Amino acid sequence: MLYSSETGWQLTAEKKRRSIADKIPQDWKLPQSVLKGAHERRKLTGDFFEQLLDGETLRITKLHSNDLLGAIRNRSLSAVEVTRAFCKRTAFAHQLNNNLLEIMFDTAHTRALELDQYLSEHKEVIGPLHGLPVTLKDQFHVKDAETTMGYVGWVGTFEGYKDTGKEGGKEESELVRELYELGSIPIAKARYTMNPAVQTLSCGGSSGGQGALLALRGSPIGFGTDIGGSVSVPAAFNGIYSIKPSHGPSILITNRLFWSPGQFVIPTVVGIMGESIPSLQLMLKSLLSSEPWSRDPDVLNIPWREEISLANGKEEFAFGLMKSDGLVTPHPPISRAIRMAIPWNPPSHNEAGNIHSAFMNADGGADVFKNLALSGEPLIPELQAEFGERPEPPMALLDFYNQSLRLKQYRESYEDYWISTAHKTKTGLPVEAVILPVAPHAAVIPGKWHYYNYGTIANTLDYSTVIIPVTTADKSVDVPDNEYRTLNKIDMENWEAYNAEAYDGAPASIQLLGRRLEEEKLLNLANIVVSALDAYKHDRLINA
């Protein structure tokens, strides 16, 4: 039967918050003076946060994934030491940023002990991720941990239902099972929060808590889900790296949860967030090594392809460059980040946005309102304009068919355009990837996000995309052009929402868009772009 609370949803939510806080060890609790000081600060990341940590925790958590794994493998660090350091840092991050829905420190410690014992006895690691802590968005089932997906009505239930025998963390998503077998250690599950780089700004949705946690280095690698930029946007807003793959090539998706679960035309995919491109490569290659297609019918039988990951040994690459899609012009910080390329003028992204919206709203909001009704909690203000007060009639079947054909035609026209760029490049080949904004702004002011099409285009096309942090907004440099004439109503709304003072310090990132099922190639191209950006910044520093 469906769960219904006899008490108010606020009381249920408060009990859940307390239960999370109670899982933080007493000696990791921050004093009230620190919490008050953090609340009054503009920025949590950087020196303020790191000065709270002891030297050993700071030293360990600053190491990148490959270095951590190497240190565990040669026994200069134990899995217990690494896990304890990241759990402590995650505990601090949650107290300052309220970014967790589940804490799994005890089970993580137990698993770390098992891994250290295995290495001691067998003189080899259990898998390529032996001892590496990871975190997940709260859309994955983990043993001995609850999954609520942020719905109050799911607290104490299994996906909103009681008396199923599965309550209390008895289920485990395939991705989580695979991470355990590869040696990784899940330590927490994240929720939506505010941006730790600028606390008045959004961390991006819906994997934003995962992005915020990684910005505070609560873990080296994390997982989110993406149907309309929900991994890419939080990565961009929090200044970290990510990959949103095409549907099916890599990551186990069975037994994980998502909004509007019956809609598969534009499917939800699992994405990876991390501190660097090599960390994303490490995780994707490790997951593929376990042949996940043998356990999940939605995963394609495509092993890691070293031959395309090296881009066939080419030394010259042609990139497309989209400074604006002609509908909404990015704010100054994003325009500065995107200046680095063949102009990119594909089929209208407005058409892509309309198609995406049609499928996202196909159920009329029925799934969202059903889960809200379990507890009586209201829709958050940011989503009221999109969903209204109640469900709308779902899309008619024939309309659904027609929208599916419209999507197919749009994908074909975009692919034709991509191929046609071979006539414009010096290589004589189509562009390898396209550099474009993720959103028309940096980490957005809550309530001021008016245009989503930059972030949803990869989902509409089922293309792969990588996010690369470039810079941060600077109020002294990113001044608005008072002579700019807006293109349309939505462009005007976006342009008028820019506030140089409010955005100052917010991460500004770019998106590297690749074709379908070319994740290995795209990650290597991303490494090339990152190297070019690093060289550019180094030269500017020397010549300053």
Side-chain angles (χ1 to χ4, degrees):
M1 65 178 180
L2 286 174
Y3 168 73
S4 62
S5 175
E6 294 181 359
T7 61
W9 67 268
Q10 297 97 331
L11 179 59
T12 304
E14 177 57 30
K15 286 181 178 178
K16 179 66 177 178
R17 286 191 291 268
R18 284 202 302 269
S19 73
I20 297 168
D22 289 344
K23 293 178 181 177
I24 297 175
Q26 193 61 40
D27 59 342
W28 291 356
K29 295 288 180 74
L30 294 171
Q32 283 300 316
S33 59
V34 171
L35 300 179
K36 183 176 184 296
H39 181 73
E40 295 169 351
R41 291 181 61 84
R42 178 180 178 84
K43 178 182 179 181
L44 294 177
T45 53
D47 292 343
F48 170 77
F49 185 75
E50 294 192 343
Q51 58 90 22
L52 300 173
L53 302 168
D54 63 89
E56 184 67 1
T57 297
L58 183 60
R59 181 182 74 84
I60 292 173
T61 56
K62 280 201 166 199
L63 294 173
H64 280 211
S65 301
N66 282 299
D67 297 325
L68 288 164
L69 291 169
I72 293 171
R73 196 176 295 114
N74 66 29
R75 298 193 185 183
S76 58
L77 284 174
S78 67
V80 167
E81 290 172 322
V82 172
T83 300
R84 183 183 186 280
F86 277 100
C87 286
K88 184 174 184 179
R89 188 157 183 156
T90 290
F92 282 22
H94 174 66
Q95 291 173 80
L96 299 177
N97 186 236
N98 192 28
N99 49 36
L100 300 182
L101 273 174
E102 286 294 320
I103 285 175
M104 292 129 29
F105 297 163
D106 288 346
T107 55
H109 178 73
T110 300
R111 180 58 174 161
L113 283 170
E114 294 171 354
L115 291 173
D116 283 339
Q117 184 175 353
Y118 183 94
L119 180 58
S120 177
E121 292 178 358
H122 297 273
K123 313 304 179 190
E124 63 180 9
V125 294
I126 203 167
L129 303 179
H130 184 110
L132 185 69
V134 297
T135 49
L136 305 110
K137 181 181 181 180
D138 191 32
Q139 284 183 252
F140 301 92
H141 290 300
V142 180
K143 283 286 182 68
D144 301 319
E146 191 169 62
T147 302
T148 65
M149 235 173 50
Y151 288 119
V152 177
W154 283 27
V155 174
T157 77
F158 179 74
E159 299 179 14
Y161 293 84
K162 295 199 78 174
D163 303 322
T164 66
K166 299 179 180 180
E167 295 87 351
K170 294 183 175 63
E171 284 289 296
E172 189 171 62
S173 296
E174 287 294 337
L175 172 64
V176 176
R177 186 177 296 119
E178 193 60 43
L179 288 170
Y180 273 118
E181 291 179 4
L182 292 167
S184 188
I185 304 176
I187 62 174
K189 295 202 287 181
R191 50 151 283 169
Y192 183 83
T193 183
M194 296 303 287
N195 196 308
V198 181
Q199 293 199 80
T200 54
L201 300 179
S202 168
C203 66
S206 58
S207 304
Q210 184 64 82
L213 185 59
L214 264 69
L216 292 165
R217 286 292 290 169
S219 71
I221 296 181
F223 292 87
T225 60
D226 194 315
I227 195 172
S230 293
V231 164
S232 299
V233 168
F237 284 9
N238 289 282
I240 59 174
Y241 296 85
S242 75
I243 180 167
K244 189 243 21 124
S246 300
H247 179 249
S250 54
I251 301 178
L252 289 155
I253 57 178
T254 295
N255 203 13
R256 61 92 177 93
L257 307 160
F258 51 93
W259 167 61
S260 193
Q263 192 282 113
F264 294 103
V265 179
I266 298 178
T268 299
V269 298
V270 177
I272 310 170
M273 299 175 174
E275 80 259 299
S276 66
I277 298 299
S279 70
L280 304 181
Q281 291 173 309
L282 163 73
M283 182 56 70
L284 188 55
K285 188 173 183 178
S286 297
L287 287 167
L288 285 174
S289 72
S290 66
E291 301 184 351
W293 48 85
S294 66
R295 292 173 301 286
D296 190 328
D298 285 324
V299 177
L300 300 177
N301 186 342
I302 304 178
W304 179 267
R305 297 160 294 177
E306 200 67 43
E307 68 279 7
I308 77 161
S309 77
L310 299 175
N312 297 321
K314 291 184 289 187
E315 295 183 0
E316 291 188 356
F317 305 92
F319 291 89
L321 180 65
M322 176 185 277
K323 296 181 180 179
S324 168
D325 64 2
L327 297 165
V328 172
T329 301
H331 289 171
I334 303 303
S335 294
R336 181 163 58 89
I338 213 90
R339 292 182 208 130
M340 295 203 18
I342 301 295
W344 192 251
N345 300 299
S348 170
H349 280 200
N350 188 52
E351 172 71 354
N354 290 336
I355 294 170
H356 186 272
S357 294
F359 285 109
M360 296 307 100
N361 299 322
D363 74 340
D367 182 66
V368 169
F369 283 104
K370 181 195 80 172
N371 286 299
L372 291 174
L374 295 176
S375 67
E377 65 177 310
L379 195 66
I380 61 173
E382 289 84 355
L383 294 178
Q384 286 175 354
E386 180 178 351
F387 286 97
E389 298 295 327
R390 60 188 62 83
E392 297 289 333
M395 185 186 296
L397 182 58
L398 289 180
D399 291 338
F400 195 91
Y401 285 173
N402 289 332
Q403 289 291 347
S404 299
L405 290 172
R406 185 183 179 190
L407 173 63
K408 182 176 183 294
Q409 291 163 359
Y410 182 81
R411 287 177 172 175
E412 289 171 350
S413 66
Y414 211 100
E415 190 69 16
D416 288 344
Y417 173 76
W418 196 301
I419 293 169
S420 75
T421 61
H423 300 296
K424 301 178 182 179
T425 65
K426 291 182 180 179
T427 63
L429 298 170
V431 298
E432 306 286 352
V434 182
I435 299 165
L436 71 161
V438 191
H441 37 63
V444 73
I445 300 169
K448 298 294 184 181
W449 196 343
H450 302 290
Y451 186 72
Y452 299 93
N453 291 359
Y454 288 112
T456 62
I457 185 65
N459 303 88
T460 305
L461 295 168
D462 195 25
Y463 282 0
S464 304
T465 190
V466 168
I467 302 306
I468 300 172
V470 176
T471 186
T472 56
D474 185 336
K475 63 183 178 182
S476 66
V477 175
D478 300 316
V479 295
D481 179 2
N482 293 326
E483 301 299 315
Y484 177 69
R485 296 293 177 263
T486 55
L487 305 171
N488 49 57
K489 182 177 181 292
I490 196 168
D491 188 39
M492 180 182 68
E493 291 174 342
N494 176 69
W495 195 253
E496 290 179 348
Y498 180 61
N499 181 319
E501 185 75 34
Y503 278 106
D504 189 48
S509 305
I510 60 173
Q511 177 176 194
L512 192 64
L513 183 70
R515 293 163 83 178
R516 189 169 182 267
L517 304 178
E518 291 191 347
E519 286 76 20
E520 302 97 329
K521 174 181 174 181
L522 188 64
L523 285 167
N524 255 287
L525 292 169
N527 265 326
I528 293 169
V529 172
V530 171
S531 295
L533 284 168
D534 288 344
Y536 171 76
K537 293 174 184 176
H538 180 263
D539 290 345
R540 288 202 62 178
L541 187 63
I542 290 176
N543 297 323

